[in-house]
């Protein structure tokens, strides 16, 4: 019993939060480059310039004025521009991964490092070479790359000039991008994911779309479904051994009470995630979503062959992030809470992190069981972790027992899902095995890593790395295949 022998113990990052070097090596601008920092009380905003030349800051859920384009204000601090400088420090970071015993390393490729505008005929060789060097360094230590093809960073040129994923043209540009990286790294990368957290892509920040109206968002989603399905088919034709998965932000919605109305609300909320898995795993639009489109006046424009492409391009495994659960209630006055762009009701039985994210290890087992029972596809936890304000002691140590306790409880829940529920679990990549910029708040203060990075919210710090107590705990966990976790 226990985790399978080839279980992929790893860690997870994203280029726009970790890599830095945003204008180096021929890289072009992405939507993520225009996102300002924030904190738990001040939501992140992105900067744009209207066609009249007015510079504006907009929130995540706001639509852009007609003709507005992404804009970076000179002299203003944008956390992703340097992030934690993996671009220059990848050898040091990968050596730390090897010391920790990681079997895999989830990272994303920056689309604009390969195609600076997104629509070029020929790729940027300097960008391709950078990832060659990164993958070679991983493989030197026996670490499997797990690559997310797009992680919250639509090329800004495509956002500004084509309205991002609202345009079908992005399907062809994305598939061209996939063709280049699949062929270039076909002997170095086995595990791929087409899009990160596909169910929470809904704004200019992530999709490059100028309107957040349901019609625009779901049309963009359809284009992404077609692009993903074509990429899966293409990847398998280039290397039949590729394992290509999808990725969704998941956490169960429990009914707040046994009131049947609350139970129905939980079904509706869970469907908001299941819809994206249904399309990419089962290969068709589910009936409940078609009825939702009908009720809400959403009419998806499809071209002939789209549904056939989606049916042929189903994924090999299901990747998902899990941070917390929520509750659902028909009572509009029920207490609210949220995290990772997912919002629901407060659970009176759970404690929460300093950022208000409810801590629920059992919810991970429930998630694994619910998803596996529904689809019977291999599962891969590609994000999970605790954001906390870590303190460096005078001797340079970082005592993060709270993170160790969190991780231990979640690993136990994973083991129960495998041993007691029969879930086929491929691997586990805690989010931010090294400190990086928070996607939700833009902070460095909100740290997830087992490695502390000397970088702060005001842009200061020397980027030096130091091992936290959790580093040594996770090393034991990896080397014992999840058995030595006390």
């Amino acid at each position: 019993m226990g985790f399978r022998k080839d279980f992929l113990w790893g860690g997870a990052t994203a280029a726009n939060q970790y890599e830095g070097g945003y204008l180096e090596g021929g890289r072009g601008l992405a939507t993520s480059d225009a996102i300002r920092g924030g904190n738990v009380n001040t939501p992140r905003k992105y900067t744009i310039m209207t066609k009249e030349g007015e510079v504006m800051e907009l929130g995540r859920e706001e639509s852009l004025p007609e003709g507005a384009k992404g804009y970076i204000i000179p002299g203003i601090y944008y956390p992703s521009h340097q992030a934690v400088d993996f671009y220059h420090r990848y050898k040091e970071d990968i050596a730390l991964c090897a010391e920790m015993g990681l079997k895999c390393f989830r990272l994303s490729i920056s689309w604009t490092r390969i195609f600076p505008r997104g629509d070029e005929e020929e790729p940027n060789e300097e960008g391709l070479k950078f990832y060659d060097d990164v993958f070679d360094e991983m493989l030197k230590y026996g670490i499997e790359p797990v690559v997310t093809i797009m992680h919250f960073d639509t090329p800004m040129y495509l956002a500004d000039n084509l309205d991002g994923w609202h345009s079908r043209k992005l399907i062809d540009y994305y598939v061209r991008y996939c063709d280049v990286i699949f062929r270039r790294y076909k002997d170095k990368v086995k595990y791929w994911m087409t899009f990160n957290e596909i169910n929470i892509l809904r704004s200019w920040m992530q999709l490059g779309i100028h309107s957040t109206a349901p019609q625009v968002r779901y049309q963009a989603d359809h284009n992404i479904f077609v692009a993903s399905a074509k990429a899966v088919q293409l990847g398998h034709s280039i290397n039949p051994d590729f394992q290509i998965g999808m990725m969704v932000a998941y956490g169960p919605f429990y009914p707040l009470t046994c009131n049947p109305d609350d139970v129905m609300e939980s079904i509706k909320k869970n469907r908001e995630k299941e819809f994206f898995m249904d399309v990419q795993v089962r290969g068709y639009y589910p009936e409940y979503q078609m009825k939702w489109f009908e009720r809400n006046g959403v009419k998806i424009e499809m071209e002939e062959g789209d549904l056939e492409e989606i049916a042929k391009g189903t994924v090999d495994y299901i990747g998902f992030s899990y941070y917390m659960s929520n509750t659902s209630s028909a009572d509009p006055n029920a207490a609210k809470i949220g995290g990772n762009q997912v919002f629901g009701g407060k659970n009176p039985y759970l404690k929460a992190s300093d950022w208000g994210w409810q801590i629920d290890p059992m919810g991970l087992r429930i998630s694994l069981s619910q998803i596996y029972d529904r689809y019977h596809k291999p599962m891969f936890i590609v994000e999970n972790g605790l954001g906390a304000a870590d303190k460096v002691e005078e001797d340079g140590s970082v005592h993060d027992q709270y993170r160790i306790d969190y991780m231990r409880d979640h690993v136990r829940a994973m083991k129960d899902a495998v041993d007691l529920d029969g879930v086929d679990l491929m691997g586990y990549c805690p989010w931010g095995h090294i400190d990086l910029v928070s996607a939700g708040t833009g902070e460095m203060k909100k740290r997830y890593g087992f490695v502390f990075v000397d970088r702060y919210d005001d842009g200061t710090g020397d980027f030096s790395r130091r091992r936290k107590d959790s580093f040594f705990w996770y090393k034991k966990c990896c080397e014992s295949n999840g058995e030595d976790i006390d």
Side-chain angles (χ1 to χ4, degrees):
M1 300 284 278
F3 300 108
R4 58 203 221 182
K5 292 180 179 179
D6 61 350
F7 193 83
L8 292 169
W9 295 98
T13 63
N16 69 88
Q17 296 166 253
Y18 177 54
E19 196 171 274
Y22 90 113
L23 287 181
E24 297 185 57
R27 182 184 179 276
L29 292 176
T31 51
S32 54
D33 295 320
I35 305 175
R36 298 280 299 275
N39 56 52
V40 68
N41 298 312
T42 306
R44 302 189 75 176
K45 291 181 178 291
Y46 54 89
T47 53
I48 57 97
M49 179 181 286
T50 68
K51 60 184 178 182
E52 291 79 20
E54 180 185 1
V55 176
M56 300 176 64
E57 289 190 304
L58 299 176
R60 188 189 307 273
E61 301 298 333
E62 294 182 76
S63 297
L64 275 65
E66 184 181 353
K69 296 187 176 184
Y71 185 72
I72 296 172
I73 303 173
I76 295 295
Y77 175 57
Y78 292 85
S80 67
H81 291 188
Q82 289 182 293
V84 295
D85 200 31
F86 176 72
Y87 188 75
H88 298 107
R89 298 167 186 266
Y90 68 89
K91 289 186 178 181
E92 176 186 0
D93 285 359
I94 293 169
L96 284 167
C97 291
E99 182 185 340
M100 231 186 313
L102 268 58
K103 310 300 182 190
C104 72
F105 183 156
R106 181 194 172 206
L107 74 166
S108 67
I109 291 177
S110 173
W111 184 347
T112 57
R113 206 174 283 289
I114 309 303
F115 288 98
R117 297 197 324 178
D119 68 344
E120 293 93 341
E121 292 288 337
E122 298 297 327
N124 171 34
E125 175 59 29
E126 195 170 352
L128 289 167
K129 178 63 166 56
F130 169 70
Y131 292 110
D132 265 322
D133 294 342
V134 168
F135 297 147
D136 287 344
E137 194 71 14
M138 290 184 191
L139 296 171
K140 181 175 80 175
Y141 292 103
I143 298 172
E144 289 273 6
V146 178
V147 174
T148 312
I149 298 169
M150 183 181 154
H151 192 133
F152 295 171
D153 53 359
T154 297
M156 195 179 289
Y157 178 85
L158 301 183
D160 290 344
N161 294 281
L162 294 177
D163 199 20
W165 279 98
H166 191 225
S167 169
R168 281 193 67 96
K169 291 182 179 179
L170 267 73
I171 297 173
D172 291 337
Y173 297 146
Y174 177 84
V175 173
R176 179 188 298 164
Y177 161 49
C178 289
D179 185 70
V180 167
I181 60 176
F182 285 161
R183 295 184 190 281
R184 179 73 171 228
Y185 308 125
K186 66 183 176 66
D187 298 321
K188 298 181 181 182
V189 178
K190 177 180 178 181
Y191 299 98
W192 303 85
M193 281 175 285
T194 53
F195 292 87
N196 180 71
E197 293 183 326
I198 186 172
N199 57 312
I200 59 173
L201 304 177
R202 55 175 176 257
S203 69
W204 185 87
M205 295 167 75
Q206 302 135 336
L207 293 175
I209 54 178
H210 284 60
S211 170
T212 58
Q215 174 64 45
V216 176
R217 179 204 166 178
Y218 283 105
Q219 184 63 55
D221 287 336
H222 175 75
N223 294 338
I224 284 173
F225 289 145
V226 175
S228 177
K230 287 189 172 186
V232 170
Q233 297 173 74
L234 174 66
H236 288 155
S237 71
I238 291 171
N239 185 344
D241 292 330
F242 279 172
Q243 291 292 298
I244 308 174
M246 63 155 296
M247 200 285 209
V248 64
Y250 197 89
F253 274 82
Y254 310 137
L256 182 60
T257 73
C258 54
N259 182 332
D261 289 341
D262 286 359
V263 175
M264 192 65 233
E265 284 299 314
S266 73
I267 290 173
K268 292 177 183 177
K269 294 298 292 184
N270 285 320
R271 279 175 173 171
E272 291 176 7
K273 302 177 287 290
E274 292 163 353
F275 160 56
F276 293 88
M277 292 186 284
D278 284 347
V279 175
Q280 294 191 280
V281 179
R282 291 175 168 170
Y284 58 85
Y285 276 81
E287 293 80 1
Y288 62 81
Q289 191 65 30
M290 299 303 291
K291 285 294 184 182
W292 188 93
F293 288 157
E294 184 181 313
R295 290 194 305 274
N296 289 275
V298 173
K299 297 181 180 180
I300 304 299
E301 294 181 10
M302 301 186 188
E303 290 192 359
E304 185 176 354
D306 280 1
L307 295 180
E308 289 78 5
E309 293 287 358
I310 289 171
K312 290 187 293 184
T314 55
V315 295
D316 299 314
Y317 66 88
I318 300 170
F320 73 104
S321 60
Y322 174 82
Y323 293 100
M324 60 183 291
S325 59
N326 283 280
T327 64
S328 299
S329 175
D331 179 3
N333 298 314
K336 302 293 192 296
I337 200 168
N340 199 33
Q341 302 182 52
V342 179
F343 303 94
K346 187 174 182 179
N347 190 327
Y349 297 98
L350 299 177
K351 296 180 180 179
S353 75
D354 293 339
W355 274 262
W357 296 27
Q358 298 178 130
I359 299 173
D360 183 14
M362 180 62 77
L364 179 55
R365 177 182 172 186
I366 291 168
S367 298
L368 285 164
S369 296
Q370 285 181 337
I371 298 172
Y372 190 68
D373 288 351
R374 188 179 180 95
Y375 301 108
H376 293 282
K377 284 278 187 180
M379 305 287 299
F380 199 163
I381 303 165
V382 294
E383 290 184 30
N384 170 242
L386 177 69
D390 298 328
K391 178 184 176 183
V392 180
E393 304 294 342
E394 289 185 6
D395 64 358
S397 60
V398 180
H399 303 307
D400 57 341
Q401 185 62 42
Y402 42 85
R403 181 170 291 110
I404 294 171
D405 293 341
Y406 176 100
M407 304 303 297
R408 178 190 297 117
D409 291 345
H410 283 76
V411 171
R412 283 176 176 155
M414 290 159 43
K415 192 170 188 297
D416 285 344
V418 171
D419 286 346
L420 304 179
D421 305 327
V423 171
D424 181 5
L425 186 59
M426 297 167 53
Y428 177 58
C429 292
W431 177 250
H433 63 280
I434 181 170
D435 291 345
L436 36 61
V437 176
S438 166
T441 63
E443 295 175 281
M444 282 301 305
K445 179 181 178 182
K446 185 183 182 186
R447 298 177 181 272
Y448 284 87
F450 308 136
V451 176
F452 186 95
V453 178
D454 190 75
R455 183 69 167 169
Y456 303 95
D457 291 340
D458 61 359
T460 62
D462 63 9
F463 295 110
S464 61
R465 274 70 163 145
R466 69 180 71 236
R467 299 160 185 81
K468 304 178 189 179
D469 288 355
S470 56
F471 178 100
F472 302 102
W473 175 86
Y474 195 53
K475 177 180 173 68
K476 289 194 308 175
C477 178
C478 294
E479 291 176 346
S480 67
N481 201 26
E483 294 299 321
D484 187 1
I485 59 174
D486 291 320

